[in-house]
Amino acid sequence: MAGLARCQREAEEVTELMRQNFARALERDGHLSQLDSRAQELRSMGATFTRSTRAVARQQRRGHRRWRVALVAIGLGTLLLLLLAIGLALWLARAPPPPLTAAAPPGHPPVGTQPPAPQGARRALGTPRGDGAPGSASGRPGNDNPGDLLWADPTVTAAG
């Protein structure tokens, strides 16, 4: 009987160990399901974080792009103003153009004067002779003699 009691006790000890092992297995299962649910939450939070970081990065790129465009526009505007200022300064600093003098082709009178009348031709009334002869109205100072004006007949003068 001692052998039977001893087998009974060993069987109860083994049963108790199996119950403890089963309880630990259930406990581990609970921990594993908690870990699994936490891992699932972390995955969903990671996906949300990834989406939000992408959105923030996109906004940052847009903001940086706007600043770049603004800086390029300001730079180009400044460059344009600088070129305009340099062009204006060069235009204002240039030497004044030489006075316009019209050189008459050979055989023609200078611009602004009347050509000399051919010999024997009639001149309009009150037109000075302008041949440079003494007593003629050639534009020289002191030649204001009204007698130098010709009448309709070039052979007839006011004095004669």
Side-chain angles (χ1 to χ4, degrees):
M1 285 246 165
L4 187 59
R6 192 178 85 201
C7 281
Q8 189 77 26
R9 209 173 351 126
E10 286 178 9
E12 285 177 18
E13 285 177 16
V14 169
T15 307
E16 186 60 33
L17 281 174
M18 288 176 69
R19 282 185 191 142
Q20 287 175 357
N21 287 340
F22 187 72
R24 283 189 209 143
L26 289 177
E27 193 175 310
R28 285 186 194 131
D29 186 42
H31 286 293
L32 285 175
S33 36
Q34 285 178 352
L35 287 174
D36 190 38
S37 65
R38 285 177 61 191
Q40 188 64 25
E41 288 174 20
L42 287 173
R43 276 190 218 108
S44 67
M45 288 172 44
T48 304
F49 179 76
T50 303
R51 282 193 300 269
S52 65
T53 55
R54 284 181 185 158
V56 168
R58 208 172 315 130
Q59 288 175 348
Q60 290 292 323
R61 281 193 300 269
R62 282 188 202 135
H64 290 149
R65 192 176 306 133
R66 285 183 194 136
W67 276 108
R68 271 190 232 122
V69 168
L71 288 176
V72 166
I74 289 171
L76 288 176
T78 304
L79 181 66
L80 180 66
L81 286 176
L82 181 66
L83 290 175
L84 285 174
I86 289 171
L88 181 64
L90 290 174
W91 184 73
L92 290 175
R94 68 174 164 70
L100 294 176
T101 56
H108 292 347
V111 176
T113 61
Q114 290 183 349
Q119 291 293 338
R122 296 181 162 239
R123 280 191 224 123
L125 287 175
T127 305
R129 285 193 320 200
D131 56 2
S136 69
S138 62
R140 290 182 293 202
N143 292 335
D144 296 332
N145 185 356
D148 288 339
L149 297 177
L150 298 177
W151 299 93
D153 186 2
T155 59
V156 178
T157 63

